[in-house]
Amino acid sequence: MKTDFERTGPMNEVSSYPQWAQDIIAECEPARRRVRDHVMWDMMIEGRIDRTTMRNFMVGTWSLIERFPSFMALNLLKTQYGRSRGDDMARRWLVRNIRVEQNHAEYWLDWADGAGVPRVEVLKGRAPSGTQTATEWCHEVSGRDSLAAGMLATNYAIEGVTGEWAQKVYDSVAYADSLPLAGRKPTLRWLQLHAAYDDTHPWEALEIACTLMGNQPAPEDVEHLRECIERSYLSLHYGLERCLVQQPMEEVEEQAA
Ligand SMILES: [Fe+2]
């Protein structure tokens, strides 16, 4: 059997990828579903999210948004042009897509602002405890693990599931209607850009990882990659849970006073 992987089927179909990749995608599906189906999105979609939860979500997720191009840069550092086809693909893709991320932090602040969370609060406010786990994990895996692990954990897993929830929220008329009419378009821009309609990024990241690993990686390497993908979903889920239960520090202090 040929050990090099070269995709021949459609990019956005799981069956186009090696069996080991199909297996870990299926195994990680329950963890992914916990993020995709989180009550946070229902609260937004039904236009019933409270101010504290929205604040916690905006402030708690900010570091992940702000640092995302840096994770890609850490992965770029691992590439070496001419070493392998996977390396060349990764290098080209990361260089191009770090640029695409350029304005996304600004659009996140616009979303927060329009949703009633002032940008100064996002920039300077204290993130609820436990919400930084995904950022810390992405930093660790992108900085210290393999190129395939880093790209699967960030560009495949995090971006992939983000595209799914962003699409749900962006499609919600009730959510759009809950926002002030003036400035609604910029408020929704981050969601619009990240909604998964035809986002090819996660698939491209998967293809690059499969090209790097080939058709028959060692079972222990496959298990490690599975764990990295699952950790991304679990850390996102944990962060979302913390947004629901935590209050901003000022309010906690006010109540204690
Ligand atoms: Fe982005």
Side-chain angles (χ1 to χ4, degrees):
M1 186 185 170
K2 209 166 146 281
T3 55
D4 283 354
F5 168 71
E6 200 159 345
R7 181 175 59 81
T8 50
M11 178 195 283
N12 57 353
E13 278 176 27
V14 177
S15 58
S16 302
Y17 299 91
Q19 190 59 48
W20 65 265
Q22 296 186 36
D23 291 345
I24 60 176
I25 289 169
E27 285 160 21
C28 291
E29 178 58 20
R32 183 171 173 128
R33 201 179 300 133
R34 285 167 80 185
V35 180
R36 183 205 302 134
D37 297 344
H38 198 271
V39 67
M40 181 71 76
W41 324 129
D42 297 330
M43 292 165 80
M44 289 184 195
I45 285 165
E46 292 159 17
R48 61 177 171 91
I49 191 160
D50 62 277
R51 205 199 150 276
T52 302
T53 305
M54 195 63 183
R55 180 265 175 215
N56 286 341
F57 173 69
M58 284 297 171
V59 178
T61 313
W62 167 243
S63 65
L64 186 64
I65 306 298
E66 193 275 327
R67 299 294 300 163
F68 210 79
S70 311
F71 304 144
M72 293 163 78
L74 288 171
N75 283 310
L76 177 61
L77 286 173
K78 301 171 197 166
T79 69
Q80 188 186 329
Y81 192 77
R83 183 162 51 190
S84 72
R85 205 163 55 83
D87 264 69
D88 295 355
M89 282 170 77
R91 183 178 180 279
R92 178 184 297 272
W93 191 86
L94 287 164
V95 167
R96 189 176 331 123
N97 286 296
I98 287 170
R99 172 89 172 73
V100 173
E101 289 292 324
Q102 172 136 309
N103 296 320
H104 293 184
E106 191 58 32
Y107 297 157
W108 184 267
L109 297 175
D110 288 344
W111 182 17
D113 234 350
V117 186
R119 65 173 49 213
V120 64
E121 178 69 10
V122 179
L123 293 172
K124 303 255 166 65
R126 185 196 286 246
S129 68
T131 55
Q132 302 307 293
T133 315
T135 305
E136 287 158 11
W137 162 240
C138 287
H139 186 79
E140 180 188 329
V141 71
S142 299
R144 299 218 294 260
D145 214 309
S146 67
L147 179 55
M151 290 189 68
L152 284 175
T154 56
N155 299 110
Y156 169 73
I158 302 263
E159 276 200 90
V161 74
T162 297
E164 292 186 303
W165 68 253
Q167 182 168 338
K168 291 205 298 189
V169 180
Y170 185 69
D171 280 345
S172 161
V173 176
Y175 183 66
D177 285 346
S178 75
L179 301 166
L181 193 57
R184 196 175 281 181
K185 213 170 155 42
T187 299
L188 292 170
R189 191 179 292 133
W190 188 94
L191 283 169
Q192 182 184 14
L193 284 172
H194 290 84
Y197 302 104
D198 43 21
D199 186 10
T200 53
H201 281 182
W203 293 108
E204 288 164 356
L206 177 64
E207 182 180 6
I208 291 168
C210 291
T211 307
L212 285 162
M213 300 303 296
N215 280 317
Q216 287 179 307
E220 59 270 26
D221 292 341
V222 174
E223 170 55 19
H224 178 64
L225 295 176
R226 186 203 63 75
E227 201 187 312
C228 289
I229 293 171
E230 191 174 53
R231 271 183 80 168
S232 290
Y233 298 141
L234 294 178
S235 61
L236 285 176
H237 178 259
Y238 182 67
L240 290 168
E241 291 288 293
R242 303 309 294 167
C243 291
L244 298 180
V245 297
Q246 291 278 314
Q247 295 178 333
M249 287 312 290
E250 312 85 76
E251 286 183 26
V252 173
E253 281 156 14
E254 267 168 37
Q255 281 171 9

